[in-house]
Amino acid sequence: MERLHWVQHRCRQLLAGNSRRGWYSAPDGLPNKSSLEAHSSPQRVSGKRRTVFAHHGPHQQEYEAVSKCYKGNAIRTTKYSLLTFIPMNLFQQFHRAANLYFLFLALLNWVPVVEAFQKEITMIPLLVVLTVIAIKDALEDYRRYLFDKKVNNNVVRVFCGKQKAYIEQHWKDVRVGDFVRLSCNEIIPADMLLLYSSDPRGVCYIETANLDGETNLKQRQVVLDLPLQGEEVTLESFHSRIECENPNNDLSRFRGYMEHPNGVRVGLHNSNLLLRSCTIRNTETVVGIVVYAGHETKAMMNNSGPRYKRSQLEKRLNTDVLWCVVLLIIMCLTAAVGHSLWLNSRKHPVYEVDGETPPALAGFYVFWTMIIVLQVLIPISLYVSIEIVKLGQIYFIHNDLALYNEQLDSRIQCRALNITEDLGQIQYLFSDKTGTLTENKMVFRRCSIYGVEYPHEENARRLEVYEAEKNEASGRSVTLKSGCSRKSLSCRSLSCNHSSMSLHTLTAESEEEDQLSNPIQPRTSAFAKEVVPDPELVRKLSWLCSPVLPLSDGSSGTPSSLELTYITDFFLALAICNSVVVSSPSQPRHVVPEARTPLKSLEEIKLMFQRFSFSPFSALSPPQIRGSPRSFTSRLFSRGKTGSFNFSPPPNSTTDTSDSGGESNQENYNLRRKLDLPSREDRGEDGGDAGETDDRETEYDIKDLKTNPEGARQDVEELSRDSESDSDDELLYEAESPDEAALVHAAQAYRCTLRGRSAESLLVDLPGIGSLAVQLLHILPFDSNRKRMSVVVRHPLSGQVVVYTKGADSVIMDLTESPKGAEQAQEIYSHIRGQTQKHLDSYARDGLRTLCIAKKVLEEEEYEVWLKRQLLAESSIENREELLLDSAQRLETNLTLLGTTGILDRLQEEVPETIEALQRAGIKVWVLTGDKMETAINIAYACKLLRPNDQLLTVACESKDTCAALLEELKLEVQRGEDSLTEPSAAGNHGQSSSGFILVIDGRTLDWALQEELSNDFVELSCQCKAVICCRSTPLQKSQVVRLVRDQLGIMTLAVGDGANDVSMIQVADVGIGISGQEGMQAVMSSDFAISRFKHLSKLLLVHGRWCYSRLANMILYFIYKNIMYVNLLFWYQFFCGFSGSVMSNSWVLILFNLIFTSIPPLVYGILDQDIPADTLMEQPELYQAAQSSKVYVPHMFWISVLDAFYQSLICFFVPYFAFAGSDVGELSFGSPINASALFIILLHQVIESNTLTWIHMLVLVLSAASYFGFVLLFSLFCVTCSPPTNPLGVETLQMSQPLFYIICALTTVVALIPRLLCRALYNTLHPSAVLRLAQRDKADSESYHRRMQRWNLSHSRVNRLPVCADNPGLEPSSASVVS
């Protein structure tokens, strides 16, 4: 801690001289001009910044001046109030074209010269639509009101200036500048700067599950350099001013500074900010000052509603609606012209005709009258029906048990409510690899250190056994759960006196029940943590505690001191180069002690490092131990630094060990026991003086290690047992990524254990040394640009500033350099680098995820220069991210490569079957991953995206010109090879085993391929390939690839991913699917649909997608047909009434016919119809492609439906017309059989079109017909003046009592529907659909099998023998095969 305070003091001194640069101020007592202006005129802060003063603090005038424009903490997500509901709701509803259309017709009917119906009747459709939508909006808004009321009335403790104490206030009363005090498990009410934490190191832990779904803990830090650091902040002690950026929705960024009264400015960043809706965990008390409140908080600014996308079907529907408008105008113009001509032809009519109105003007009036009469031709109500149908489809998708994950207790989420039908039109699928195709539950598999590979064969065998057991367990796959996160839930409330109900409390309470109900879970929870150490690596680590001196050249399997240094640094880097939060069931927060001696005494340190007394190579000089052990430690652990190898002729000197008496020998024994090394006492031998037995023990131990093949295995077993009992409490690691957790558990397996973490130090156990407090200076977090993370620490033994870095091998290998100086050192390092690269390639071929580990030792002067730049970047508001990136890149250079790790990320269950099904369905699958090319290819083989007979096209270029030439060459190669590849597949079986081309391209080449000059060639080449794999791709490249393919090919794209790096790709695609995996919920929150496993894609696309598209397409065509068919009946009547706009039915039936009587059946049809059963669609994915190739909703199908509607309307009108020809029947009596026939034709037309008829369909059809006849009968019996000037009294009862009515209805219905039945039968005969072909093939196979069985029974009949078909209930035995 003293060293850290010295660094902080030194930084202030360095920065005091640059008072005019960036955001730093002048030295104490000399405030610069800008700071004086800031105090005198805070109103100047506008645009990009805001100023915050403490409420009720010493700066009251400034607070009042700047806080006027800041919002309060009350939230209001409702749209309406009691007074504004009716006007605002009507205003919003009339923004829709459909409602404006209905309003226009209602107003038009009030004009006397164009009036078609009673004024009240034309208002009915509009009132019904407005009322239904208003009730729905009111219920939704009331639910939001109740939620807002509950949130705003939550209680929190706020500092009161009058009472000088914290009092309870409602959330809605919190203001910017208030001091808020929170306890463990309380939810944060507003965005606050953390000023105090009960943790001694100023650390606070929060859980951001309400924001991004991540349950792992995040660490936040108290603002540095507060006047009363470590004490609870009060208004009396807080006189600082805060200046920060204006409210924004970026959850990962916060920039600003805090200026103290002495003029010193301290930079503020995201780690100081507590966000609204997060939960305090593992911290007793925190105090913060509110900087953003209410709707200005980041959580509220990210609170967006359901995603809205326009589906392709909806776009096509808009075109057809315009065609309906054209038809309406043509019909109305025909009526207008006809009425004018009719008036001109009637010179002396025998009936009354308005002779004062000119024929042209009368035709104009009739045009608008016909607009009212034929209003239902425009299927505006279809839009409302589509929304209802989509809600029904989403309900059934949401409740599909096949899309439910029992282990995670999660079902599919439909976040975009209006693109369900697009799931049935997907042509290209872009998938992430890690966490999408794989489990994203990493298991440490093998590693390479100092150029030596450690295969961890026992670990490999354990993985194979686990996979076998998993496949056998209950016939279904088991999802691994992290034991860390689940156990930590139960411990989070142990150290907290104050608690509140939360989801995690409920989860913890049900943990025991979950474990009882799922007996496999305890095994799988601990699986990722169990790493079986490699015997060879354990043997080398044992030399850290052995009294044996390592041989100078590292021969005979004995490690050199340099190799041991590499190994120690390697595992130390695995343990500390992360952001893992450490806890345990009994101690949720592991405290790092202020000062702790790593070993018992300096004698122990000296004894420890005497084992490294020989140089790493026989020809090189050993470092001599003269002076303090610290000096030797510095030399030992600085060897990773470039140029730090010192080689000289070996001197004739030996290490003096005479001071190692009996006490030291006993300490040696204790050190050996810590690493479970076999000693003489363990073998039953008597102990003696060290001087007498040292040579014999050395010889014996070396011989034992060489000749005893089981010794290393015994070491492993004892090491495993000791690591299990090493501490009373099991350590729980909560990592931000599964990679970090796997590496920390691997280090723990080798006794390099991370035991505690604070903002300033780490507590680490090293084998043979004990617990060390590692001073943590800086963390440079991972980002997609650098592809690495680093920690800057002060080495606990050497005291030097060391940078440990881990990251992608493509980046780390370029940042490492050979040491300058001796030629031998360069050769050794080149050998290490070359061997490590070979191991990296081998790991990638095995499908392992690779990470490189490196280090760098900094001189104090070099560190101070970098620290000055880093602090400048951290406290900057403008361009902060760019400055931090530049600072990190300056530090991470000239690294020393330590080794590499290979982590296994297993495929999810049924991924190969899912990809095979999608490819058979005609969907091209692209994999966009950040992994190495070899890893991606290996995973592609494993998931059957790449098959052994496929031809691999690899594109990895060094320049843009080379890329262009290679793309052209590959295009020619594909064209030449297409014939030879397609001919065998054409004669093959369905093409699932046909070979093809697979394109693999790396990230650097992809940058050039995406440029405008080469993008066409890249797309053309990729279209000819069966699949494409993009390796080393960044999040930006992923989105660019999706956009390029979507725009250039004009096809339907789907993107699926599970992490924040997939968000841009998901948002660009036509359909975005997020997988709720191990990387938080960012992808889910940005997606249209969210699933828990990749295998769910097959059911979602092949079944639900196809169903949704087929249902909606057929429903739209049926809806258009229904409207046109009924409207044409009114149009044909105009030819017999002088085009006057009269109708042959009463206006009530005319309005309610489409509004009620025929509105429900299409909805049921659109929700429940199934053209093919789900099992058949899953077994035959080709049916998905067949549905795409023969699309239901295409222009010619629209016009076929229109022509069919015209034909049926002609039959429906003229059959009754000729039946009543010459009679004195009235217009209402004439219209009665026409309406009844139209109802039967429309309903039975749907029966013909339906692929599924259930009792629900039949019930709705019967109720629709019954509602019509019930209404017209009641209307005919009791209504006398309901429809003036006509009188419907007794009309319907008279018509239905005559046989002619039923004959007309039957004849009309049959004649109208026969052409559709005949055309469908003829088309299915000439062009059978895939469904019919499948059914015919199954039937033919069954009949052929039946005949073969009959012949076999005849030729093999014996007495008392059962026929073969007896085992097949579907086949009847032949009489000839039955023996009596």
Side-chain angles (χ1 to χ4, degrees), residues 38-43 51-68:
H39 281 292
S40 61
S41 57
Q43 295 90 337
T51 304
V52 178
F53 292 96
H55 193 193
H56 306 301
H59 304 285
Q60 276 301 298
Q61 294 182 353
E62 292 87 347
Y63 174 81
E64 296 294 337
V66 300
S67 61
K68 291 180 180 178

Side-chain angles (χ1 to χ4, degrees), residues 94-109:
F94 282 121
H95 274 73
R96 301 171 182 170
N99 295 337
L100 286 176
Y101 174 74
F102 281 123
L103 179 63
F104 171 73
L105 293 179
L107 295 176
L108 190 63
N109 195 60

Side-chain angles (χ1 to χ4, degrees), residues 1228-1274:
L1228 294 182
S1229 299
F1230 171 64
S1232 176
I1234 293 178
N1235 286 328
S1237 300
L1239 179 70
F1240 286 128
I1241 292 171
I1242 289 173
L1243 295 181
L1244 291 177
H1245 181 99
Q1246 180 173 334
V1247 173
I1248 295 174
E1249 292 299 309
S1250 296
N1251 298 285
T1252 304
L1253 288 177
T1254 64
W1255 64 270
I1256 300 178
H1257 292 79
M1258 302 310 298
L1259 179 63
V1260 170
L1261 292 173
V1262 171
L1263 289 178
S1264 297
S1267 64
Y1268 168 78
F1269 286 105
F1271 176 82
V1272 296
L1273 285 175
L1274 292 176

